[in-house]
Amino acid sequence: MDRREVESFFERATTVRALVVGDLMLDEYLWGRAERISPEAPVQVVEVAREDLRLGGAGNVINNLAALGCRVAVGSVIGTDENGQLLRHALEEKGAGVDGLIEAADRTTSKKTRVIAANQQIVRIDREMRSAIGAASEKALLDYLLAHLGDFDVVVVSDYLKGVLTPALLSALCRKGRELGVPVVVDPKGDDFAKYRGATVLTPNRKEAEVASGTDITDQATLELAAGKILSTLELDALLITRSEAGMSLFPAQGEAVHIPTVAREVFDVTGAGDTVISVLSLGLACGLALADAAWVANVAAGIVVGKLGTSTVSPREIVAEVGHSLRDSDSKIKNLDVLAHLMARERARGKKMVFTNGCFDLLHVGHVKYLQKARELGDLLVVGLNTDDSVRRLKGEGRPLIEEKERAHILAALGCVDYVVLFDEDTPLRLIEALRPSILVKGGDYSMDQVVGRELVESMGGRVELIEFVDGRSTSRIIEKILSST
């Protein structure tokens, strides 16, 4: 995937409805100074200077999904205690739907308190229950899930072995997901993966995959052996094994394995990286990405998040920037129409005048460059609509284009006079003009006004059409003829 495709993915992601099911908890952080020993016992005294309360467990998946721009709801069981109310309030502040949050008087809401001084953790205090939720809570949660699963585009299951995800609940959830065609993506825990049978994708790390398969993963052969054992027993669509510095390995139930190398960067903290992976992967499936593409974007996101201190999230902007890093100047200018239409609406609101032109631009020559420079001088922004390869073939014949569409797009985008490039597959750019609403529509001087597609539309919006003469004697066809005659 390139930057343009990833941008389009995150644009679609804003419409996704995701349901997170799993063990919720509060993460409390107490930061302070430890400069003396207690007279009561040989322990450090921490003078607390700052406190922070965060969503933990499955709540960090909610944090990640919210940061990626989708709409999130939760299905879980918490206590009726004070921590339960704090947790509910934190979810509501995050904008998460809480209709599936079941309260149980016999349940303790999990809370982990970490005391940190001199840049290190002094002690962690856990308040939690690990026993399975009661029958009444299980039924209430399951009733909600079965009644509302069809309202969501993807279900993310985050298991921390705190008792919410009972085998009966997981079995019913996976079965209903398959019935409705809603992907169920699971971040597993424990040594028995049987309870996840029927899920769409499982995302264990290497150690979890070793325990579940009973296989020590030491090389490619043992990795494939472990994956085969898990896939053969769990009726999954795919298995994604995260392998830390070795990257990720995607094993589809049908087809070849895909091994994705890690993104090279300095690692500060791997905390929460698994939550980022499952969040991006799930969002990709909900948006219709191929499994391999969704895993690839998830790997990019994980590479970013491990470069941050503490449990962190990653934004679409960071992921898009990372994807476009290798072709930063030109890649950032190539946009999908849905993304570009939003950008142009913002520019119009700021009073900017957008110029639009289009063409095949096969074998870019000085005539093209002069034409584009003159077009850019007419306004504040120049957007170039570029015919795809299929469109060029229909217009120019089977021997064209000589240069494929991605290369033509990057060559155009590298020009300083071009602000954005957008590909189109139709024979005319009318759909682009309708979406982008340019102030000035430019065509070559070989056109007459009545031949310009979109002229009436642009003029009806208060814009105008400009015809610009090409440099005499310069054309792609003449260059091709000259090359052929010299061979």
Side-chain angles (χ1 to χ4, degrees), residues 185-360:
V185 186
V186 181
D187 184 6
K189 289 289 186 295
D191 55 6
D192 182 11
F193 282 8
K195 60 182 177 178
Y196 307 122
R197 180 175 284 107
T200 307
V201 186
L202 222 61
T203 65
N205 59 33
R206 188 188 68 180
K207 184 62 178 176
E208 290 164 344
E210 285 181 332
V211 172
S213 65
T215 303
D216 288 334
I217 299 175
T218 56
D219 53 23
Q220 192 74 15
T222 51
L223 173 66
E224 292 175 1
L225 178 62
K229 288 180 179 180
I230 295 171
L231 279 170
S232 65
T233 58
L234 297 187
E235 302 169 20
L236 309 171
D237 287 0
L239 175 71
L240 179 68
I241 300 178
T242 57
R243 302 167 56 207
S244 204
E245 70 281 353
M248 301 178 183
S249 293
L250 176 67
F251 296 91
Q254 304 293 329
E256 296 295 319
V258 179
H259 302 287
I260 307 168
T262 189
V263 179
R265 64 168 61 240
E266 187 174 1
V267 176
F268 289 108
D269 195 343
V270 298
T271 305
D275 294 333
T276 298
V277 168
I278 196 171
S279 299
V280 177
L281 179 74
S282 300
L283 199 54
L285 294 183
C287 288
L289 294 188
L291 260 172
D293 287 339
W296 182 83
V297 181
N299 187 56
V300 173
I304 297 169
V305 84
V306 299
K308 301 179 179 183
L309 285 171
T311 302
S312 300
T313 59
V314 61
S315 70
R317 185 185 296 272
E318 290 174 299
I319 296 171
V320 169
E322 183 68 28
V323 170
H325 181 75
S326 60
L327 293 168
R328 181 171 296 163
D329 292 335
S330 61
D331 206 40
S332 63
K333 293 183 180 181
I334 304 169
K335 304 292 185 185
N336 271 19
L337 180 57
D338 49 1
V339 174
L340 187 57
H342 286 156
L343 282 174
M344 291 304 100
R346 289 201 294 267
E347 295 295 348
R348 280 196 304 275
R350 294 169 55 200
K352 298 288 187 179
K353 194 175 291 186
M354 190 259 283
V355 182
F356 175 85
T357 192
N358 66 281
C360 302

